[in-house]
Amino acid sequence: MIGIIVFCHGTMAQGMKHAAEMIVGPQPDFAAIGIEPGHGRQQVSDLLDAAIADTDTGNGILVMTDLAGGTPCNTTALKMGKGIEMLAGFSLPSLIKALLSRSEVSDPRELADLVSEYGRQHMTTGAQMLRACGPTELDHG
Amino acid sequence: MADSIHVRIDNRLLHGQVVQYWIPFLEVERLIIADDEAATNPAMSAVYRMAVPGTVNLSVVPVSDLAREVAASNASTTLILLSDVFDAARAQTNDLSFDRLVLGNVHATPDRKRITDSVYLSREEIDSLMQFRLNGGRVEIQTFPGERLHLEIDDNGDPKWSKR
């Protein structure tokens, strides 16, 4: 099974892990790490190395980061290859999708593609959701 | 020579805060990352190229080449990112002239003491900043646009961070 690391600013990763496990239950080979003010480049890199060691089952790892161009994303980009893949800008739907699909896909890059596409499709608005179910009493035009 | 030059110290160099906040806020046209490690590590420069917004012209250079890089630029607004206070002092020794130095993120280490949540400085770093201040330069901590602390020198000749 592909390992999953969520890697974000502040405590978002821990919060996302908690939220995802409220929905799909406790998950193996799943780590959450966050950067804080006062962290330097080396410290952030060491944090990721430790999480990689914790979640590595030999089948590759997908690191899901919060923001393209942010430190979690940039730090992970430096470690890509050798079975480590990264995506940036993940959401709760995409994290749940990753957790539920990772045993059916063998390649972490394939998982990254599938999950990022899923995340893009699952950002919606109340109006779009109402439109999709036809006329309802919630519809104020 | 560029019109407006912002010199910023940030150990994480180009990261979320800079990409999402400072680059649009300052309307940065040209970004120069002056860092010996980043300039000699092709993977690091590739990551910064990947992270920078498409509207910004990026160079990654060693600190010793910074003055030349700035002199050759005609961008209206340039942001220079340096890893630490000593690299800023070295850029000055290597002919880069600037009169305002902004500290964004300087990470905690055992020999540094906390100034703000994002800025920690050692005795030697404070000495270097005091020297820059005594020579007429301005030193400010500004991690976010809404925050600003100025380095002042008190009556005993000691450093003092003031909101002024």
Side-chain angles (χ1 to χ4, degrees):
Chain A
M1 189 160 69
I2 296 167
I4 305 280
I5 298 172
V6 280
F7 189 13
C8 305
H9 291 78
T11 55
M12 175 178 169
Q14 290 84 349
M16 279 288 200
K17 181 174 189 286
H18 179 65
E21 288 183 332
M22 277 175 67
I23 293 164
V24 296
Q27 298 290 309
D29 309 314
F30 178 28
I33 50 176
I35 60 161
E36 291 294 337
H39 278 175
R41 289 208 292 265
Q42 190 57 50
Q43 196 178 355
V44 175
S45 172
D46 292 347
L47 195 67
L48 179 57
D49 286 341
I52 289 172
D54 280 351
T55 50
D56 189 7
T57 60
N59 297 308
I61 294 171
L62 176 61
V63 185
M64 302 179 65
T65 67
D66 53 354
L67 180 68
T71 299
C73 162
N74 296 349
T75 307
T76 309
L78 282 174
K79 298 182 197 287
M80 276 176 59
K82 290 171 287 182
I84 296 175
E85 289 296 330
M86 184 264 293
L87 70 78
F90 81 97
S91 58
L92 187 58
S94 62
L95 175 56
I96 292 167
K97 183 69 178 173
L99 292 166
L100 297 180
S101 309
R102 61 182 170 148
S103 50
E104 290 153 26
V105 176
S106 58
D107 176 26
R109 181 163 297 182
E110 199 185 318
L111 183 63
D113 286 340
L114 182 149
V115 165
S116 66
E117 188 49 41
Y118 186 88
R120 259 192 286 272
Q121 288 167 0
H122 285 74
M123 175 82 86
T124 186
T125 66
Q128 283 171 0
M129 290 170 73
L130 281 176
R131 212 176 301 133
C133 59
T136 70
E137 59 228 40
L138 290 174
D139 200 347
H140 301 295
Chain B
M1 183 79 179
D3 294 342
S4 166
I5 296 181
H6 302 272
V7 183
R8 182 172 181 85
I9 294 179
D10 199 316
N11 176 260
R12 291 194 262 134
L13 297 170
L14 184 59
H15 60 109
Q17 210 170 59
V18 177
V19 170
Q20 294 285 323
Y21 214 155
W22 285 107
I23 288 177
F25 184 80
L26 298 172
E27 298 179 8
V28 172
E29 210 174 284
R30 179 145 171 71
L31 175 69
I32 306 176
I33 296 178
D35 184 79
D36 294 352
E37 187 192 359
T40 52
N41 179 338
M44 266 179 91
S45 353
V47 167
Y48 294 131
R49 268 174 219 297
M50 183 188 85
V52 79
T55 53
V56 176
N57 176 353
L58 169 73
S59 309
V60 184
V61 299
V63 174
S64 56
D65 289 356
L66 179 56
R68 198 176 319 139
E69 194 69 26
V70 171
S73 164
N74 56 10
S76 62
T77 304
T78 301
L79 174 64
I80 295 172
L81 295 174
L82 293 151
S83 268
D84 61 33
V85 169
F86 300 125
D87 277 357
R90 205 149 55 86
Q92 273 197 308
T93 315
N94 283 286
D95 300 325
L96 182 75
S97 140
F98 54 95
D99 56 12
R100 176 168 172 256
L101 182 58
V102 173
L103 309 180
N105 289 280
V106 184
H107 62 291
T109 57
D111 62 334
R112 286 181 175 144
K113 78 174 210 223
R114 182 188 173 282
I115 312 292
T116 69
D117 282 351
S118 300
V119 175
Y120 294 72
L121 294 170
S122 69
R123 185 70 251 171
E124 293 73 21
E125 285 168 325
I126 290 174
D127 288 347
S128 172
L129 294 171
M130 290 284 276
Q131 197 53 54
F132 181 74
R133 181 79 184 75
L134 288 167
N135 291 337
R138 282 185 293 152
V139 178
E140 293 165 15
I141 292 176
Q142 201 179 19
T143 304
F144 313 102
E147 173 198 48
R148 190 176 284 181
L149 289 175
H150 303 262
L151 176 61
E152 308 283 7
I153 299 170
D154 73 11
D155 296 341
N156 301 320
D158 291 326
K160 186 178 98 180
W161 295 96
S162 109
K163 283 192 178 162
R164 188 158 43 125

